[in-house]
Amino acid sequence: MGVAAQPSSSGGGSLADLAYEGIRDRLVMLDIRPGEPINDDALAQELGTGRTPVREALKRLEGDRLVVAYPRRGTFATAVDITDLAHISEIRAQLEPLAASGAARNASAADRSRLAALAGDVAQLEASVADRRELLRRDVQVHREIYRAAGNPYLEDILVRQDNLATRIWCLFLDRIPAVAGHVGEHVALLDAIVAFEAEKAAQLALEHVVGFERAVRAVL
């Protein structure tokens, strides 16, 4: 992503948090390509955080399966393995509906206002934005907002990690998948259901979204 600049889950946070989010978003959108070595100095300069926060961030990102460290060789962006798609989709098919229904039940008034505004933004994007990467950035944002609104930080943590891995797969095939705008546009109905307290409908739409993602990727393999 130029950078997938999404709202920070850390609420500002430490320099290590900022480094983590900045590097994570570059990895997720393949701005740092799979297998590419991680340049600590360049990232520290680019992010303005210094080398120590970058190194702390990389340790966290290794736990997220986004980087891998090799003794005496350095740290590298992990490969995108299409064989992981079934495993990731299996988890998301169970947990995305749980998060969507949880958001429909638990979201605060402020959450619902924010999600309603986001639904309006997505509806406009679908019709007006040709940049597929920008559409995908908004897809990531919607997912993260729903996870947060569900009110379960442990569920949020798991799903953010899985969505990050799924987005890397999507990015790998972005130029070959014809219906990116439609896929992102599905979020309008999902967000509307959450805002309207329709938990069962939100869960079903979230499941259809995950299944559609896997089907779209497999169609171009």
Side-chain angles (χ1 to χ4, degrees):
M1 293 176 165
V3 176
Q6 306 299 340
S8 169
S9 60
S10 61
S14 67
L15 289 176
D17 291 330
L18 296 174
Y20 169 78
E21 292 173 3
I23 301 168
R24 177 196 64 190
D25 290 341
R26 287 162 171 77
L27 290 161
V28 167
M29 290 300 290
L30 306 190
D31 289 324
I32 301 175
R33 301 294 300 177
E36 185 177 326
I38 305 296
N39 187 321
D40 298 21
D41 290 331
L43 282 171
Q45 184 174 7
E46 183 179 347
L47 295 167
T49 59
R51 293 183 65 185
T52 297
V54 166
R55 288 172 177 172
E56 292 177 10
L58 291 175
K59 290 178 182 178
R60 291 173 62 186
L61 290 162
E62 190 168 11
D64 293 345
R65 298 178 180 267
L66 292 174
V67 303
V68 58
Y70 297 105
R72 296 180 297 278
R73 288 182 54 198
T75 302
F76 298 78
T78 54
V80 176
D81 189 344
I82 194 60
T83 61
D84 289 339
L85 177 61
H87 300 307
I88 295 167
S89 296
E90 182 178 24
I91 295 169
R92 295 182 72 218
Q94 296 296 318
L95 298 186
E96 291 275 355
L98 182 62
S101 62
R105 290 191 302 270
N106 302 326
S108 66
D111 290 332
R112 292 179 202 277
S113 177
R114 185 170 62 252
L115 294 174
L118 186 55
D121 290 344
V122 171
Q124 292 180 359
L125 273 175
E126 184 182 5
S128 63
V129 174
D131 183 350
R132 292 182 167 207
R133 288 168 61 82
E134 180 58 33
L135 289 167
L136 203 54
R137 289 187 186 97
R138 192 52 60 96
D139 181 84
V140 171
Q141 181 186 5
V142 170
H143 281 284
R144 291 180 186 174
E145 290 288 354
I146 291 172
Y147 305 154
R148 189 175 299 122
N152 183 332
Y154 300 98
L155 178 62
E156 179 182 359
D157 181 64
I158 293 169
L159 278 172
V160 166
R161 294 184 185 203
Q162 297 306 312
D163 187 59
N164 287 341
L165 297 173
T167 301
R168 295 185 87 217
I169 293 174
W170 190 268
C171 282
L172 197 64
F173 297 97
L174 190 58
D175 293 336
R176 296 167 56 189
I177 296 174
V180 176
H183 178 82
V184 177
E186 292 171 2
H187 288 309
V188 175
L190 172 56
L191 290 166
D192 286 346
I194 292 171
V195 171
F197 297 85
E198 296 177 315
E200 290 186 13
K201 181 178 180 180
Q204 182 60 38
L205 290 171
L207 176 61
E208 291 172 2
H209 183 74
V210 172
V211 171
F213 161 76
E214 181 176 11
R215 186 182 298 121
V217 172
R218 292 196 181 282
V220 300
L221 293 179

